[in-house]
Amino acid sequence: GNSVTQMEGPVTLSEEAFLTINCTYTATGYPSLFWYVQYPGEGLQLLLKATKADDKGSNKGFEATYRKETTSFHLEKGSVQVSDSAVYFCAFNNAGNNRKLIWGLGTSLAVNP
Amino acid sequence: GAGVSQSPSNKVTEKGKDVELRCDPISGHTALYWYRQSLGQGLEFLIYFQGNSAPDKSGLPSDRFSAERTGGSVSTLTIQRTQQEDSAVYLCASSHGQGDEQFFGPGTRLTVL
């Protein structure tokens, strides 16, 4: 069935370190892929998205590329900041009519100064 | 403009009681989604509304759960005879149309004692 597998956390990095959070998905059809972020005490917000194969989503220095051949959508950032500390969720919407989101379990990131 | 709002922000109830959770979507958004975020289980889809109709209720965990939407706007999620396993954060999201970005509310944290 449809599912998302993302790297387990927590991930702890020093400021300016390189970040990768792996995400792979199992889906039928051609879903759109998303990364959502939840900062401490705040609601979920969209970080970036990609709607077709080989698309690259980017925002706030984060990037992820839709890789259909490996069914992956790994999140990367070249130099993390303390303010990036949050929980990151990989998700996709199903290719059916309702576009409900299927979620990974989330990866907690802590960036130390 | 205002985002998605939810009320109450926190709800503590006793096992066996009924609860109602409210969601006010962004004005003009036709699609509305309810999700549940449980500790250790991530986010799961509950129900989807397009306008006032709910073409996908497949995520509702039992017949104790129901939801309605009136006037193509406000939605209420009702849980009857609450159980301890219902404790979770209930999230509402809306989007302008199918496949568009979903905007999330801050959630209602439900605790069933």
Side-chain angles (χ1 to χ4, degrees), chain A residues 6-62:
Chain A
Q6 69 178 98
M7 192 168 102
E8 284 187 25
V11 174
T12 303
L13 295 174
S14 297
E15 206 164 22
E16 299 183 0
F18 184 86
L19 169 71
T20 299
I21 301 178
N22 289 338
C23 172
T24 57
Y25 65 92
T26 301
T28 55
Y30 301 94
S32 293
L33 307 178
F34 304 86
W35 277 99
Y36 276 82
V37 60
Q38 190 169 30
Y39 296 103
E42 298 184 17
L44 279 165
Q45 54 186 276
L46 180 66
L47 179 61
L48 54 83
K49 69 178 183 181
T51 58
K52 61 183 187 295
D54 300 324
D55 267 3
K56 178 185 285 187
S58 60
N59 185 26
K60 300 182 180 181
F62 291 88

Side-chain angles (χ1 to χ4, degrees), chain A residues 32 34 36 38 42-46 49 89 93-94 96-105, chain B residues 33 35 37 40-45 48 55-56 58 91 98-106:
Chain A
S32 293
F34 304 86
Y36 276 82
Q38 190 169 30
E42 298 184 17
L44 279 165
Q45 54 186 276
L46 180 66
K49 69 178 183 181
F89 294 89
N93 62 12
N94 65 342
N97 290 332
N98 65 18
R99 303 291 180 173
K100 65 188 180 188
L101 288 166
I102 310 297
W103 299 86
L105 291 179
Chain B
Y33 303 79
Y35 297 90
Q37 188 174 21
Q41 292 191 30
L43 282 136
E44 55 178 332
F45 165 81
Y48 156 69
D56 188 347
S58 63
L91 293 166
Q98 294 171 6
D100 290 341
E101 175 186 349
Q102 294 182 25
F103 294 83
F104 282 80

Side-chain angles (χ1 to χ4, degrees), chain A residues 25 27-31 33 53-54 65-72:
Chain A
Y25 65 92
T28 55
Y30 301 94
L33 307 178
D54 300 324
T65 301
Y66 190 145
R67 299 288 189 201
K68 188 161 179 62
E69 64 277 13
T70 55
T71 62
S72 65

Side-chain angles (χ1 to χ4, degrees), chain B residues 58-98:
Chain B
S58 63
L60 295 178
S62 75
D63 58 8
R64 296 186 295 105
F65 288 71
S66 62
E68 64 176 13
R69 189 179 185 194
T70 55
S73 181
V74 171
S75 176
T76 303
L77 177 69
T78 301
I79 309 173
Q80 295 179 309
R81 305 180 303 280
T82 51
Q83 304 295 312
Q84 288 183 334
E85 62 262 29
D86 300 334
S87 296
V89 177
Y90 289 81
L91 293 166
C92 175
S94 69
S95 69
H96 189 266
Q98 294 171 6

